[in-house]
Amino acid sequence: MAILILPVGRIEPEIIDDLRGDLEREFGFKAAAGKAVKEPVFAYDAQRGQYNSTAILYSIADRPDIFDYERVVGVAGVDLFASGLNFVFGEAGSKAAVISLFRLNESFYGRAEDRAILRRRVLTEAAHELGHTFGLGHCTDPGCVMFFSNTIHDTDMKGPYFRGECLRRLLDFGVIIDQLGGFK
Ligand SMILES: [Zn+2]
Ligand SMILES: [Zn+2]
């Protein structure tokens, strides 16, 4: 499974590189970092002061440079919303997904930045949206990455690993070869 990680706007290279390495190590994907795409000004909603995640998702899915990959994950720095929701941590289509770092930073919650926490959250949200692109829906197990995150607390509680039926399906389909930290 070859995955392209696409910075959407100016994103710290270290965050992209950590995610690339984590996706390879934890799930056996072949992940590459793409060239950053422009800030998604077209997706900005001035009334909300947020960016439309669906518009960004479509713009990523249309890019010719993703055709060599089976999946693409956009990593945005701006705050995202989708129709009917106050905000979203990310959104997925059939091949493309996008996640936002905006609400993954501890500073958003008035706490000191923590790189390790941020790194785990980025992997968790990326794995969740990739799970959707593999056909998984939301899961009722609060310890499975496919659980729906209403808050950052949900994200921290579930962590980046697929469990139970979600894990079995991905292993059966050969989507993931292994989940090194996640067999529980
Ligand atoms: Zn979801
Ligand atoms: Zn599950």
Side-chain angles (χ1 to χ4, degrees), residues 48 50-51 53 79-90 100 102-104 108-109 125 148-152 155:
R48 304 182 60 131
Q50 292 173 301
Y51 293 73
S53 64
D79 196 22
L80 303 180
F81 76 94
S83 166
L85 297 168
N86 289 334
F87 76 92
V88 291
F89 288 115
S100 164
F102 195 82
R103 291 168 193 258
L104 303 185
F108 180 81
Y109 305 95
E125 291 307 324
F148 176 74
S149 285
N150 252 321
T151 67
I152 198 66
T155 301

Side-chain angles (χ1 to χ4, degrees), residues 137-141 144-147 162-167:
H138 287 141
C139 178
T140 55
D141 173 3
C144 174
V145 71
M146 292 315 295
F147 189 76
F162 300 93
R163 295 209 306 193
E165 187 59 25
C166 299
L167 175 59

Side-chain angles (χ1 to χ4, degrees), residues 167-182:
L167 175 59
R168 256 192 305 280
R169 281 176 62 185
L170 295 188
L171 290 171
D172 284 353
F173 298 161
V175 169
I176 60 178
I177 301 160
D178 207 345
Q179 186 179 255
L180 300 173

